[in-house]
Amino acid sequence: MNIINILMVNFFKHQKIRYLFNGILSTLVHYVCLFFCLEILNIYYAGIANFMSSILGITFSFLGNRYFVFKSYKSSIIKQLKSFLPLYYFLSIMQGFILYFWTDINNYNYNVGFCFCILIQIVLGYFGGKYFVFKEK
């Protein structure tokens, strides 16, 4: 095994590192879709565009959390989805409201509001995933 493979294996053996990596990729999927909705499709409301974009980000996040971060294969995927979806619906609705007030009402830059939302989601998503959705009995 070469040095890069050894470093990657050691790096990704830590759950929090895997969570952050999955979160970065999920956020990238979410943000690219948000950018596309606002800048290419010219959707007028950032809150609506964010809601639509969050669906792709949430799907990516769930799959990454199940198979990569928490490695939770024993529980039924349906059972996990029944816990995961309410958590992320809440986070998505929260983001939509924050972006609505941040961008649509106050006319602040949606990029800054998006970053603020992501910081909140990182904390709530990790603890919700670890102790509520993907916990193994």
Side-chain angles (χ1 to χ4, degrees):
M1 210 185 253
N2 67 33
I3 190 73
I4 293 174
N5 287 342
I6 292 170
L7 289 173
M8 292 303 286
V9 167
N10 286 331
F11 184 71
F12 283 121
K13 75 179 178 183
H14 303 287
Q15 186 180 71
K16 289 179 183 165
I17 298 295
R18 291 192 310 269
Y19 179 78
L20 288 175
F21 183 75
N22 183 60
I24 289 167
L25 293 179
S26 299
T27 301
L28 185 61
V29 167
H30 184 156
Y31 183 77
V32 167
C33 185
L34 177 65
F35 178 85
F36 183 79
C37 287
L38 292 174
E39 303 295 337
I40 307 300
L41 297 179
N42 293 314
I43 294 175
Y44 184 74
Y45 295 105
I48 292 170
N50 182 71
F51 177 76
M52 295 183 329
S53 302
S54 69
I55 292 169
L56 288 176
I58 287 168
T59 301
F60 191 92
S61 178
F62 174 78
L63 295 172
N65 280 327
R66 176 178 166 86
Y67 294 107
F68 176 64
V69 176
F70 298 108
K71 299 180 181 184
S72 181
Y73 315 116
K74 294 177 185 171
S75 295
S76 155
I77 196 167
I78 300 300
K79 181 180 179 215
Q80 289 174 337
L81 278 170
K82 285 181 181 179
S83 299
F84 184 86
L85 289 176
L87 172 65
Y88 276 79
Y89 285 152
F90 166 75
L91 293 173
S92 179
I93 290 167
M94 177 198 67
Q95 280 188 343
F97 277 116
I98 291 171
L99 278 180
Y100 171 74
F101 287 108
W102 184 269
T103 303
D104 299 332
I105 299 296
N106 292 306
N107 209 23
Y108 298 142
N109 185 291
Y110 74 88
N111 293 299
V112 176
F114 183 82
C115 290
F116 177 69
C117 290
I118 293 305
L119 289 175
I120 295 169
Q121 184 172 335
I122 287 170
V123 174
L124 296 178
Y126 178 76
F127 288 108
K130 183 173 180 73
Y131 297 110
F132 181 63
V133 179
F134 299 105
K135 67 178 182 177
E136 293 291 331
K137 298 195 188 241

